[in-house]
Amino acid sequence: MDKCFYNGNFINTSNYSENIEMLCINNGLIQYKGIYNEKLFDNSKERVNLLGKTLIPGFNDSHMHLLGLGVSLDQVDLSHVRSIDELILESKKYLKNNSRSILEGRGWNQDKFYNLKMPTKHDLNKISIEIPIILRRACGHILVANSKALDLITIDLGTVNGRDINFDTGILKENGQDLLLNKLPVPTKNEMILKLKKAAIYARAKGITSVQSDDLCVYPKKYTDIIFSALNAIKDDFPLRVYEQSLFRDLDNFKKYLKGGYEMTNNDSFLNFGPLKILLDGALGSSTAYMLENYENSNNRGILMYKANELYNLVSVADENKIDVAIHAIGDGAIDLAVKSIANTNNHKMRHSIIHCQITNSNLIKRISRENILTHIQPIFLDNDIHIVEKRIGIKKTKSTYAYNSMYKSGIKIAFGSDSPVDKINPLLGIHLAVNRTDLNGLPKNGFLPNEKIDIKKALRFYTLNGAFAEHKEHKKGSLDIGKYADFTILDKNILKVKNEDIKSIKIIETYVNGKTLAE
């Protein structure tokens, strides 16, 4: 054996009652688990004394943006600012310490600002009028630009000065952002690889061994080939495992890559290609999630990226080519369309899914279950959204939102993730929120819609074994079973025995992928 782990707590998400005293690996796979075996122990090349720590299967983030995370790590981080003045100050400080010809940043959220107002180009002009400045909201569905950045767009203002682009405020929403983002320089293939690796190392420090990642969204469609080339370059050696959720944006582009041989893969490499990602609507925080009814005190229902027939065609072509779909749908109107599109397919053998699935109702949940649709849920969103959802959609509709327990009871397969860099990537924070249903400060005291709380064992399974199922890899990872990858996370405390309110304080001691730490 290459390694034997002993003297710790072992949690197997496929069998929580299993007694494991020692776990041994060889050639990157689990070869033994069970009671202490002196012969295996003595003949092992390396013995890892856990010193009472807890070993669990590595976390699998079922939806995030690895390349986007890598890009954000080299931008000004605005996730902690609580006012426009702070945003200006933080951006100026960043520019003072980092030479930039274009300042990009991400993470601001007006719902956390004291005055609840969005920044405008006039605010960004106070940072600089000499270089373009582009600061994206945390959700990525809205950005604000200064005057210098807006000068990069040379189009007829009369055709775009509406809900997607407002030149008076400098606020761009949804697809309107592309007009400006398409003007920005794009990294080379090698630079993208470095950003992917930087993000992977960051994720591993959070206990993550696998990610299901949409990376094609980070740069314009014309750069898809470069992104694919960068992804293919990490197949043989990478800090974690990647399952690509491919955003081809439109049917013609999707067919182009199908003709070129695109297919879902299930190899033992560090990268596999997965479902067609479809971005159907916006986000709740920006009021661009597509609703069945208007937002509170508004004539706005959000933004739908595809007409119904366009969505049906995309899903149908994917299904015919035996490719899963993963549909971003946050508002109940978008979720309704997503379910209808999947119901029109022969999806009983596929693992079609809805990403986010936030604004639900009992009817939608029943239909999602009936169609055997997976859901990719981000419990970390609760930290912010429990404070805004009622203001956005009203008390009545709020009562059936973020319905994790109702989904589970209805038989829906749930996989947890973070949507990083939209929100914090730390799985322990996500589990904490799913179990307690409070924000990270412990509010509200009894939890938001407490009947929707998930117990710790389910939450842990949703972040491991169910994530593996979502990428057709449950036979290879997600639990501590013989023959599976030696992908582990070591925690400083037993997550099944700490108080629920202490889950967020658990520390990651080490992360193993293929039986190795980053240092090996």
Side-chain angles (χ1 to χ4, degrees):
M1 295 291 178
D2 291 330
K3 285 188 180 100
C4 281
F5 297 81
Y6 70 104
N7 190 26
N9 306 301
F10 298 85
I11 297 176
N12 188 4
T13 50
S14 67
N15 183 2
Y16 282 110
S17 63
E18 187 172 12
N19 179 37
I20 301 175
E21 296 177 354
M22 188 170 82
L23 184 145
C24 298
I25 65 175
N26 199 53
N27 294 325
L29 301 175
I30 300 173
Q31 297 290 350
Y32 175 82
K33 59 171 181 169
I35 62 172
Y36 178 79
N37 185 309
E38 186 174 356
K39 183 177 180 181
L40 285 177
F41 184 82
D42 290 342
N43 291 327
S44 176
K45 296 176 185 176
E46 183 179 347
R47 299 154 196 147
V48 181
N49 186 346
L50 294 173
L51 300 172
K53 306 296 190 297
T54 297
L55 185 150
I56 65 172
F59 291 117
N60 186 327
D61 192 314
S62 79
H63 175 68
M64 54 91 68
H65 309 274
L66 194 66
L67 182 56
L69 174 59
V71 170
S72 72
L73 292 173
D74 293 323
Q75 297 178 346
V76 56
D77 178 12
L78 301 171
S79 61
H80 59 286
V81 302
R82 292 297 176 265
S83 69
I84 292 174
D85 287 341
E86 280 187 35
L87 178 147
I88 294 170
L89 184 63
E90 193 67 26
S91 299
K92 283 184 174 181
K93 188 188 303 181
Y94 184 88
L95 270 179
K96 184 178 180 180
N97 297 322
N98 300 272
S99 177
R100 291 286 187 272
S101 58
I102 299 175
L103 176 63
E104 293 184 76
R106 183 165 186 160
W108 62 268
N109 183 346
Q110 84 282 2
D111 289 310
K112 294 182 178 181
F113 290 176
Y114 306 127
N115 61 8
L116 302 180
K117 292 183 178 179
M118 288 190 187
T120 68
K121 72 176 182 182
H122 307 293
D123 299 311
L124 271 57
N125 284 343
K126 295 177 183 178
I127 302 169
S128 175
I129 57 173
E130 297 176 352
I131 64 170
I133 299 176
I134 299 165
L135 305 180
R136 303 187 76 174
R137 191 181 184 276
C139 64
H141 292 261
I142 287 181
L143 66 78
V144 60
N146 71 345
S147 296
K148 192 73 171 179
L150 292 172
D151 288 343
L152 297 174
I153 309 175
T154 54
I155 53 177
D156 179 4
L157 303 191
T159 65
V160 296
N161 208 36
R163 68 176 184 177
D164 290 349
I165 299 179
N166 189 317
F167 277 80
D168 294 329
T169 63
I171 293 174
L172 287 70
K173 299 181 180 181
E174 302 302 342
N175 288 338
Q177 299 177 100
D178 292 344
L179 283 172
L180 177 54
L181 296 177
N182 286 355
K183 301 291 185 179
L184 302 184
V186 173
T188 64
K189 170 188 168 181
N190 288 337
E191 288 170 338
M192 286 187 187
I193 293 170
L194 290 174
K195 290 182 185 299
L196 286 165
K197 188 171 183 179
K198 185 174 185 176
I201 292 170
Y202 185 88
R204 265 189 70 159
K206 308 298 182 183
I208 295 170
T209 58
S210 291
V211 296
Q212 297 169 55
S213 182
D214 167 15
D215 298 304
L216 303 186
C217 71
V218 179
Y219 294 107
K221 182 175 68 176
K222 63 184 178 180
Y223 296 101
T224 298
D225 282 348
I226 297 177
I227 300 173
F228 266 129
S229 182
L231 290 170
N232 276 301
I234 68 174
K235 280 185 176 181
D236 297 327
D237 183 26
F238 201 59
L240 45 68
R241 303 184 194 278
V242 180
Y243 189 62
E244 187 65 24
Q245 297 171 334
S246 299
L247 181 76
F248 288 109
R249 301 179 192 265
D250 59 55
L251 185 57
D252 287 341
N253 201 40
F254 182 34
K255 286 183 175 179
K256 168 189 167 185
Y257 282 90
L258 286 174
K259 189 175 181 180
Y262 184 86
E263 61 181 356
M264 293 202 303
T265 59
N266 196 348
N267 304 316
D268 282 324
S269 62
F270 285 95
L271 174 103
N272 277 284
F273 292 105
L276 166 67
K277 162 74 184 301
I278 300 174
L279 183 62
L280 186 54
D281 70 343
L284 182 70
S286 56
S287 297
T288 55
Y290 185 70
M291 309 298 296
L292 289 171
E293 300 170 339
N294 290 337
Y295 284 91
E296 283 288 282
N297 304 312
S298 170
N299 293 321
N300 170 43
R301 288 175 58 189
I303 295 176
L304 196 64
M305 305 297 192
Y306 298 93
K307 295 177 182 178
N309 66 309
E310 293 173 331
L311 174 66
Y312 296 163
N313 287 338
L314 270 171
V315 174
S316 177
V317 170
D319 193 75
E320 289 169 1
N321 285 275
K322 294 182 170 51
I323 292 174
D324 296 334
V325 295
I327 305 176
H328 165 120
I330 289 179
D332 53 6
I335 296 170
D336 173 67
L337 276 176
V339 176
K340 286 176 179 175
S341 69
I342 293 172
N344 282 337
T345 69
N346 298 313
N347 72 87
H348 58 285
K349 291 184 179 180
M350 306 296 290
R351 294 185 184 178
H352 297 316
S353 63
I354 296 175
I355 298 171
H356 307 311
C357 206
Q358 291 168 219
I359 311 303
T360 53
N361 55 50
S362 59
N363 177 259
L364 284 174
I365 290 173
K366 287 177 184 176
R367 289 164 56 201
I368 292 168
S369 176
R370 185 173 65 239
E371 298 301 331
N372 200 30
I373 299 171
L374 309 171
T375 57
H376 298 270
I377 301 297
Q378 298 72 41
I380 190 65
F381 283 5
L382 286 171
D383 185 43
N384 178 69
D385 287 6
I386 58 177
H387 301 295
I388 68 168
V389 61
E390 191 175 301
K391 298 174 187 176
R392 295 292 195 276
I393 64 173
I395 297 174
K396 183 179 179 181
K397 293 187 75 172
T398 294
K399 291 179 180 179
S400 59
T401 59
Y402 305 84
Y404 309 156
N405 195 39
S406 295
M407 288 182 186
Y408 171 77
K409 286 182 176 180
S410 75
I412 295 171
K413 183 82 76 172
I414 299 171
F416 277 168
S418 68
D419 204 17
S420 176
V422 170
D423 218 319
K424 302 174 185 69
I425 197 172
N426 189 339
L428 291 166
L429 298 182
I431 290 174
H432 177 98
L433 288 159
V435 171
N436 294 291
R437 301 281 296 194
T438 67
D439 65 16
L440 293 175
N441 293 316
L443 298 173
K445 187 175 181 180
N446 296 320
F448 168 72
L449 303 178
N451 289 338
E452 296 297 345
K453 290 180 178 179
I454 293 289
D455 70 60
I456 183 59
K457 289 183 177 179
K458 292 188 187 75
L460 192 56
R461 185 177 290 124
F462 294 173
Y463 238 124
T464 54
L465 192 55
N466 284 16
F469 181 88
E471 54 175 299
H472 301 263
K473 280 281 191 180
E474 70 274 16
H475 63 296
K476 281 290 190 178
K477 56 185 175 181
S479 63
L480 305 182
D481 292 322
I482 303 298
K484 289 194 174 183
Y485 298 140
D487 295 355
F488 314 132
T489 299
I490 312 297
L491 309 177
D492 70 335
K493 295 182 179 67
N494 188 332
I495 193 170
L496 299 185
K497 294 186 176 180
V498 301
K499 294 179 181 178
N500 285 349
E501 57 266 30
D502 293 333
I503 293 171
K504 67 179 180 180
S505 300
I506 294 174
K507 299 291 190 294
I508 305 296
I509 301 300
E510 189 59 89
T511 307
Y512 288 79
V513 174
N514 250 20
K516 296 180 180 180
T517 66
L518 271 175
E520 294 180 82

